[in-house]
Amino acid sequence: MKKLLNAPSDLVKEALAGMAVAHPDLLRVQLDPAFLVRADAPVRGKVAVLSGGGSGHEPLHGGFVGRGMLDAACPGAVFTSPTPDQILEATRAVDGGAGVVHVVKNYTGDVMNFEMAAELARDMGIATETVLVNDDVAVENSLYTAGRRGVGTTVLVEKICGAAAEAGRGLADVAALGRRVNDHGRSMGLALTPCTVPHAGKPSFELGPDEIEVGIGIHGEPGRRRAKLEPADRLTEMLMDPILDDLPFRAGKDVLLFVNGLGGTPLLELYVVFRKAHELAAARGLRVVRSLVGPYITSLEMAGVSITLLEVDEEMVRYWDAPVHTAALRWGV
């Protein structure tokens, strides 16, 4: 195992300390329990948006803390859900009196721990709403979930809900918008290589030299099948066809196309995939009106790609375009 770390047990703590000194204008870090909040939190009278999950998916979620996106993020250990006390303390830290929206990826540990924290927060008088993200079309159940996994649409929910909250929308409105984004987003990914969890010290699964995993999960969970490596256009079709058929996306609709690197894929290759995905969307009569390309929800150093397609309306586009200032996303400022 070759990684830039001192000790696996210190990895998350030291990374958080690095974020704190790298971005003091954007965020503050608490280490016990661990969470990040935007630098000016809590913002009085504003709905707060909070998310979290296991570390190893950076910049999700901590890289999205800042104005116009997340008010707080709770990082668990690598590929491990944050604990209820982390989530509760982060919820308390960002509550400005208008309530807190929890954006939760559909993994069993995340769902259970966020539910417990939300109940405790409500007992303290903090209003909460939950947006559950379950957009992965690859499998209905996996090692970590009952139902579909939450993947790429999480980034889009966090951006759009964050902007709506920044604009002064109320708790119920922000949550309803997030649920609508989830309902209209679909994702699927594939892996070219496995990743190595630091405390395990070995790859999480094995692939032959010419093998790929189609429908991989962001923790290395098995997908739909193993397949032989093929040219990029064919691999893009393997992802886009199930996505396009699932909603289903209808001709004449506007969409946001998000091509995401899983951690070890060069941006050069991601644009090759985006080109073909755009072509396939256009062939179905869809208008790609917004785009995002880059490694925004990763799986450590895994080489691979995921594609997310979101059917957008005017409200979603307006909040997508709204200013955002975080470590990982910045525009309009």
Side-chain angles (χ1 to χ4, degrees):
M1 181 178 71
K2 292 182 178 179
K3 289 184 178 288
L4 295 171
L5 54 80
N6 294 306
S9 59
D10 294 333
L11 177 59
V12 174
K13 178 179 67 177
E14 292 180 349
L16 290 174
M19 289 190 72
V21 294
H23 307 293
D25 57 326
L26 301 178
L27 54 83
R28 305 193 312 268
V29 170
Q30 158 120 8
L31 293 178
D32 187 20
F35 60 85
L36 308 89
V37 299
R38 57 188 276 177
D40 58 349
V43 180
R44 292 297 166 193
K46 187 187 86 68
V47 170
V49 182
L50 181 157
S51 192
S55 296
H57 305 303
E58 288 74 19
L60 193 82
H61 299 272
F64 301 135
V65 171
R67 185 162 61 87
M69 205 159 176
L70 292 180
D71 293 85
C74 298
V78 173
F79 292 179
T80 303
S81 301
T83 59
D85 66 306
Q86 283 179 268
I87 301 162
L88 176 61
E89 290 306 312
T91 299
R92 294 177 63 193
V94 296
D95 176 41
V100 182
V101 173
H102 290 168
V103 178
V104 185
K105 303 186 302 301
N106 188 34
Y107 298 94
T108 302
D110 289 19
V111 171
M112 178 177 66
N113 290 350
F114 269 92
E115 283 180 350
M116 292 175 62
E119 289 178 8
L120 293 169
R122 286 192 290 270
D123 289 344
M124 295 178 175
I126 301 172
T128 67
E129 290 276 357
T130 297
V131 176
L132 184 68
V133 183
N134 57 352
D135 58 314
D136 190 351
V137 306
V139 293
E140 287 298 327
N141 297 284
S142 76
L143 296 176
Y144 297 92
T145 66
R148 292 183 170 185
R149 303 175 293 214
V151 285
T153 300
T154 309
V155 178
L156 313 185
V157 169
E158 290 177 358
K159 171 61 181 81
I160 292 169
C161 283
E166 202 74 44
R169 297 288 293 274
L171 180 65
D173 285 348
V174 173
L177 177 59
R179 293 174 190 129
R180 195 164 85 242
V181 172
N182 176 67
D183 289 345
H184 288 83
R186 298 292 187 274
S187 301
M188 189 166 165
L190 62 82
L192 306 178
T193 68
C195 63
T196 298
V197 176
H199 64 259
K202 61 182 181 180
S204 52
F205 59 94
E206 294 184 1
L207 285 173
D210 62 346
E211 278 189 319
I212 63 170
E213 181 78 28
V214 181
I216 191 74
I218 59 172
H219 308 95
E221 310 97 305
R224 289 188 172 189
R225 68 184 191 279
R226 294 279 172 97
K228 295 296 184 181
L229 180 64
E230 296 194 51
D233 283 1
R234 175 62 190 131
L235 298 182
T236 305
E237 290 172 352
M238 288 182 186
L239 301 181
M240 282 292 286
D241 287 348
I243 290 171
L244 287 164
D245 291 342
D246 193 88
L247 192 53
F249 292 87
R250 302 186 302 279
K253 293 294 184 178
D254 292 341
V255 295
L256 184 158
L257 176 58
F258 171 26
V259 171
N260 174 67
L262 293 179
T265 307
L267 194 57
L268 184 69
E269 296 174 20
L270 296 182
Y271 278 110
V272 173
V273 173
F274 187 89
R275 162 197 145 272
K276 183 61 177 179
H278 189 287
E279 175 187 305
L280 294 169
R284 293 283 189 107
L286 302 176
R287 295 186 296 265
V288 178
V289 297
R290 295 294 183 273
S291 61
L292 185 66
V293 183
Y296 292 106
I297 175 169
T298 63
S299 186
L300 295 170
E301 79 280 19
M302 182 184 289
V305 65
S306 65
I307 298 175
T308 299
L309 201 62
L310 172 66
E311 184 178 290
V312 295
D313 55 32
E314 290 183 3
E315 184 179 39
M316 293 180 196
V317 171
R318 182 170 72 254
Y319 288 131
W320 179 261
D321 289 345
V324 60
H325 191 187
T326 71
L329 284 182
R330 179 176 180 176
W331 58 71
V333 294

